[in-house]
Amino acid sequence: MLWPDLRYLHCMDALQRIDALRAELHAHNHKYYVLAEPSISDREFDALLEELTQLEAAHPEAYDANSPTQRVGGDLTDKFEKVPHRHAMLSLSNSYNAEEVAQWAERVQASLPGEDVEFVMELKYDGVAISLWYEERALVRALTRGDGAVGEDVRTNVATIRTVPLKLLPGAPAALEIRGEIFFPWDAFNALNALRRESGEQEFANPRNTAAGTLKLQDSRLVADRPLDCMLYNVDGGAMQALGIDRHSEAVERTGTWGFKPPQGRSLEVTTSVDGIMAFVAHWDKARHNLNFAIDGIVIKVNRYNHQKRLGNTAKSPRWALAYKFETERARTELVDVKYQVGRTGAVTPVADLDPVQLGGTTVQHASLHNADQIAKLDLRIGDMVFVEKGGEIIPKIVGVDREAAHAEGLFAPPSLVFPSACPECGSTLERVEGEAQHYCVNFADCPAQVRGRIEHFISRKAMNVDGLGKETVAQLVDAGLLRDVADLYALSADQLLPLERMAQKSVDNLLVSLAESKAVPFERVLFALGIRHVGETVAKLLAGSLGSFEKVAQASVEEVVALEGIGPVIAESVVSHFADPAFREMVARLVAAGIQTEVVEEAPLGDALEGEVVVVSGVFTTMSRDEAKSAVTAHGGRLVGSISSKTTMVLAGDNMGPSKLAKAEKLGIPIVDEDTFLARIQS
Ligand code: IVH
């Protein structure tokens, strides 16, 4: 262990070390995120990052917006600066078949008589265009397309994307503009939607709009939670020619040595023929379904920069490039039925049952109809032949009706579908909130669909984590009147459960044990489990952390809840109105009587070895993380503080503790305790 770390007592040493660490960490980030070949462990990486964080804290004069420590996002951006593009951000002209591609290729060749024209093909990423400006190899701006002439600088948000280098590797041109596309990979997008579903929030419709919305978030910490990705597709040709690089394909390859992730494998190819172009198109029209991101076509470019220059641009798009748009997959099938699903919040969603049909590599049996307006707009009737599209959405949607087929049915066509005015589950009135497209069942307390939904949510893994109660059993118990709300779960007895289908003695025992164990689930998860609209895991944590108990949450006013960091008026309103409802309060009272957790429990002290100590924890430890070290301090009676002052009585110092902290502690004569000594003391 390097303690005490006296390496950087001289300022110059520290500044040099900062530079060296930044270069080393940039290189490791590149290996990890771009090449997917890390050469050090996460722990070693974290240790280097921590060392840099500490050194930077001690040397604010060495601040650099592009330091690897700035990746996490943090600063709130008040607004985005509008910046004119150096070259207009044009769009592409589109083509839809081989003939149009051949015509374009002919026009290109005719404008370049006698020249050997090379084409390069790339994927057309379905995301948001971004222009990245590097100066002195550092990322200084990241401009959105805006209106094509002026973009918005969303650099702080783009800096959270791991595949965008903040500092180009040595050897890269000092000044460079790179354009590319930012997108939301499918796996991350689906995971985000799963979380939103769990917290009763509206799911995002498609990755493209979500990526666009994410880039415009004001708080880059939220952006950092959404793993966006970036692919480059354009390097400033003038700068490349100055480096002796004549072709787009070579430039793209070279960007790999500067820290970017160039297109992988077959996603970039060079050809001289239309056949070559169409072979690439045919390959990706199929293979695109296996990609972890959405593409909506192929982009074909003239490869040589001098040819691009001679071809030039029209007002809207370059003559040297062409987009080939994939057909949005569309299938024609029969609308068999429309069902109305009622969620746990009471929202009613129409879902179409279709005659199964192949679409985009999967069999489609259901399609989303969104809401009443959509049904009316399409003028749907059961038995209609409808067109279904997948497009960029995950759930296929009905985009139209084959009217000719419908008319062939003559006068006996069934009536147009009308959105129900009563809840399909309980018959209560449906209400439509002003300005919202969704209808809601008003029978919050007793609608069986809402009751089932709330119970399923309550027992889910991230909430109370109750095992052994499947959807069907929940439905049986609700139907039998044994479960009217989540509090009834704790009144279930073996006698009530045994007669149910799929409930043998052993499964009943397991369920009762699991219910009993769930009473120990921490308060923040109880709060999440209640299924209050807009209270997902994160909000529940915030509420529990700042208010501490049911009693406090129930008493809080909208103003008090809004005042909590990270909570807006819609959430606050929802929380307060739930606790104002006598039925909800009564149900919470029964949960409390059953013995669930009602407040944040401070960890019981493990000992009092640090009683009276006021402790600063700093540096990196070998046997525990810094958070574990901090927990150990409080668990043994010590009080944690963030910075060293005359009141501090002890500094727990790991490796690479910042030199300024060290100097300050020494100056104030505060005992500096290393990891081994600390462990010995708390274990004594
Ligand atoms: S080249 C016109 N290459 O598609 C300037 N664009 O519809 C040269 N896009 O604004 C664009 N993948 O945001 C190019 N491989 C790719 C692309 C691509 C996606 C986007 C880009 C552009 C839009 C045009």
Side-chain angles (χ1 to χ4, degrees):
M1 191 173 9
L2 279 165
W3 183 88
D5 193 335
L6 300 172
R7 281 182 297 178
Y8 318 123
L9 286 183
H10 301 291
C11 188
M12 272 321 287
D13 292 352
L15 296 183
Q16 277 170 6
R17 180 66 186 154
I18 287 176
D19 277 348
L21 280 169
R22 285 178 182 163
E24 199 175 342
L25 286 161
H26 278 308
H28 285 306
N29 264 327
H30 178 239
K31 284 183 186 163
Y32 187 92
Y33 289 104
V34 178
L35 306 177
E37 280 170 3
S39 60
I40 58 170
S41 68
D42 290 359
R43 201 188 168 105
E44 287 165 316
F45 181 90
D46 287 346
L48 291 174
L49 189 65
E50 176 57 27
E51 183 187 346
L52 179 58
T53 309
Q54 305 249 350
L55 278 174
E56 286 180 350
H59 293 275
E61 73 277 16
Y63 173 80
D64 177 356
N66 285 324
S67 167
T69 53
Q70 303 299 309
R71 280 275 186 204
V72 279
D75 307 40
L76 280 175
T77 331
D78 281 326
K79 60 180 185 331
F80 299 112
E81 192 189 343
K82 306 264 186 301
V83 181
H85 288 294
R86 286 184 181 147
H87 315 280
M89 269 185 121
L90 302 175
S91 55
L92 289 168
S93 42
N94 292 328
S95 66
Y96 298 90
N97 53 49
E99 210 184 316
E100 289 171 1
V101 174
Q103 284 167 359
W104 172 77
E106 270 167 33
R107 279 201 303 278
V108 165
Q109 185 67 71
S111 305
L112 300 167
E115 300 278 341
D116 289 334
V117 178
E118 256 176 36
F119 300 108
V120 54
M121 291 84 68
E122 288 169 355
L123 305 182
K124 188 170 186 310
Y125 312 102
D126 193 9
V128 186
I130 196 85
S131 162
L132 306 170
W133 295 12
Y134 288 89
E135 279 166 22
E136 309 286 326
R137 290 195 287 118
L139 178 68
V140 291
R141 291 207 186 275
L143 304 185
T144 60
R145 183 173 187 283
D147 63 3
V150 176
E152 280 183 317
D153 189 359
V154 290
R155 189 197 159 284
T156 29
N157 287 345
V158 170
T160 66
I161 304 174
R162 305 289 173 165
T163 41
V164 174
L166 297 180
K167 184 90 196 191
L168 299 179
L169 300 176
L176 187 66
E177 188 199 340
I178 294 247
R179 290 184 180 180
E181 196 87 347
I182 289 176
F183 54 88
F184 217 125
W186 278 115
D187 53 0
F189 175 74
N190 292 334
L192 176 65
N193 260 350
L195 280 178
R196 293 181 73 86
R197 206 165 36 240
E198 257 180 43
S199 57
E201 287 171 281
Q202 177 93 36
E203 288 179 49
F204 290 121
N206 64 54
R208 187 202 327 109
N209 295 356
T210 315
T214 304
L215 276 186
K216 294 287 183 70
L217 289 172
Q218 294 288 314
D219 185 346
S220 58
R221 283 169 301 191
L222 297 177
V223 182
D225 277 346
R226 298 189 185 170
L228 297 171
D229 203 344
C230 181
M231 286 284 190
L232 66 110
Y233 58 66
N234 193 55
V235 194
D236 179 11
M240 293 304 97
Q241 281 177 303
L243 290 181
I245 299 172
D246 299 326
R247 290 171 167 83
H248 174 70
S249 56
E250 288 166 9
V252 166
E253 195 181 315
R254 187 71 76 83
T255 62
T257 67
W258 301 336
F260 286 94
K261 181 166 82 173
Q264 311 284 306
R266 274 201 71 176
S267 57
L268 183 146
E269 263 180 26
V270 175
T271 184
T272 53
S273 70
V274 172
D275 285 350
I277 296 174
M278 293 317 293
F280 188 85
V281 167
H283 170 75
W284 284 106
D285 198 2
K286 284 219 167 66
R288 65 179 154 136
H289 303 297
N290 306 326
L291 289 169
N292 188 28
F293 50 84
I295 63 172
D296 59 344
I298 295 298
V299 182
I300 310 140
K301 297 171 183 171
V302 171
N303 201 12
R304 285 198 183 87
Y305 287 130
N306 62 350
H307 287 171
Q308 291 186 0
K309 222 178 185 165
R310 281 169 62 182
L311 288 162
N313 306 323
T314 70
K316 273 205 269 173
S317 53
R319 291 193 193 87
W320 47 265
L322 179 72
Y324 181 101
K325 295 287 280 255
F326 290 133
E327 187 121 354
T328 309
E329 289 145 286
R330 177 181 268 218
R332 182 176 170 278
T333 187
E334 186 184 338
L335 176 68
V336 177
D337 197 4
V338 173
K339 300 219 171 78
Y340 298 89
Q341 289 177 352
V342 185
R344 71 176 160 88
T345 58
V348 181
T349 317
V351 178
D353 279 353
L354 303 169
D355 190 17
V357 63
Q358 282 298 310
L359 184 64
T362 53
T363 309
V364 170
Q365 299 198 48
H366 304 289
S368 150
L369 276 166
H370 300 298
N371 52 47
D373 294 344
Q374 183 76 0
I375 293 182
K377 202 168 112 200
L378 292 167
D379 185 23
L380 283 180
R381 294 146 208 258
I382 301 299
D384 272 350
M385 294 306 290
V386 293
F387 296 111
V388 201
E389 271 187 8
K390 229 167 171 179
E393 327 277 313
I394 358 165
I395 305 163
K397 60 179 177 200
I398 296 185
V399 292
V401 180
D402 183 350
R403 282 286 157 225
E404 276 177 31
H407 289 151
E409 286 167 28
L411 293 171
F412 303 108
S416 302
L417 283 170
V418 181
F419 201 86
S421 53
C423 173
E425 288 268 351
C426 71
S428 305
T429 318
L430 295 186
E431 243 179 34
R432 188 170 174 165
V433 183
E434 184 77 26
E436 274 192 45
Q438 205 95 25
H439 282 78
Y440 288 88
C441 163
V442 296
N443 185 8
F444 176 81
D446 298 317
C447 173
Q450 294 190 56
V451 174
R452 288 197 305 269
R454 286 197 292 270
I455 292 169
E456 281 161 16
H457 171 74
F458 185 82
I459 62 180
S460 63
R461 197 173 45 84
K462 291 194 167 167
M464 304 302 278
N465 192 23
V466 176
D467 274 339
L469 201 53
K471 264 184 175 224
E472 293 82 3
T473 316
V474 170
Q476 283 186 65
L477 288 163
V478 172
D479 286 347
L482 292 172
L483 287 184
R484 285 165 295 114
D485 59 32
V486 297
D488 285 348
L489 282 164
Y490 294 101
L492 287 175
S493 67
D495 291 346
Q496 292 170 329
L497 290 164
L498 273 169
L500 301 177
E501 276 172 50
R502 285 181 293 269
M503 276 296 189
Q505 184 68 51
K506 191 158 169 21
S507 40
V508 168
D509 290 347
N510 287 345
L511 171 58
L512 292 175
V513 168
S514 187
L515 275 167
E517 282 172 355
S518 75
K519 293 178 190 173
V521 161
F523 175 59
E524 63 190 41
R525 276 170 54 190
V526 174
L527 214 45
F528 167 61
L530 292 177
I532 298 169
R533 211 164 153 211
H534 304 301
V535 179
E537 266 181 289
T538 315
V539 172
K541 240 181 231 168
L542 283 173
L543 284 172
S546 27
L547 294 171
S549 69
F550 262 139
E551 213 181 325
K552 291 268 166 53
V553 178
Q555 281 167 2
S557 66
V558 173
E559 293 71 36
E560 282 163 337
V561 181
V562 170
L564 305 175
E565 202 178 316
I567 297 187
V570 177
I571 301 174
E573 190 69 53
S574 173
V575 173
V576 172
S577 66
H578 271 77
F579 280 94
D581 173 13
F584 186 81
R585 292 176 82 101
E586 184 271 335
M587 188 231 11
V588 170
R590 278 185 292 126
L591 279 174
V592 173
I596 57 143
Q597 297 301 306
T598 58
E599 57 186 18
V600 176
V601 179
E602 297 297 339
E603 297 269 314
L606 294 170
D608 55 5
L610 303 177
E611 193 73 61
E613 298 278 19
V614 179
V615 187
V616 168
V617 177
S618 178
V620 187
F621 303 92
T622 35
T623 62
M624 55 192 169
S625 69
R626 185 129 37 98
D627 280 345
E628 283 165 351
K630 287 182 179 172
S631 304
V633 170
T634 46
H636 290 273
R639 190 159 72 80
L640 276 174
V641 285
S643 56
I644 298 172
S645 71
S646 57
K647 298 203 179 91
T648 313
T649 62
M650 167 180 159
V651 174
L652 170 55
D655 278 352
N656 304 330
M657 176 180 159
S660 66
K661 273 194 186 167
L662 193 64
K664 192 162 183 189
E666 278 170 354
K667 195 167 148 217
L668 294 170
I670 300 164
I672 299 170
V673 176
D674 70 7
E675 186 172 354
D676 291 343
T677 315
F678 173 77
L679 291 174
R681 186 159 159 197
I682 62 173
Q683 277 153 15
S684 66

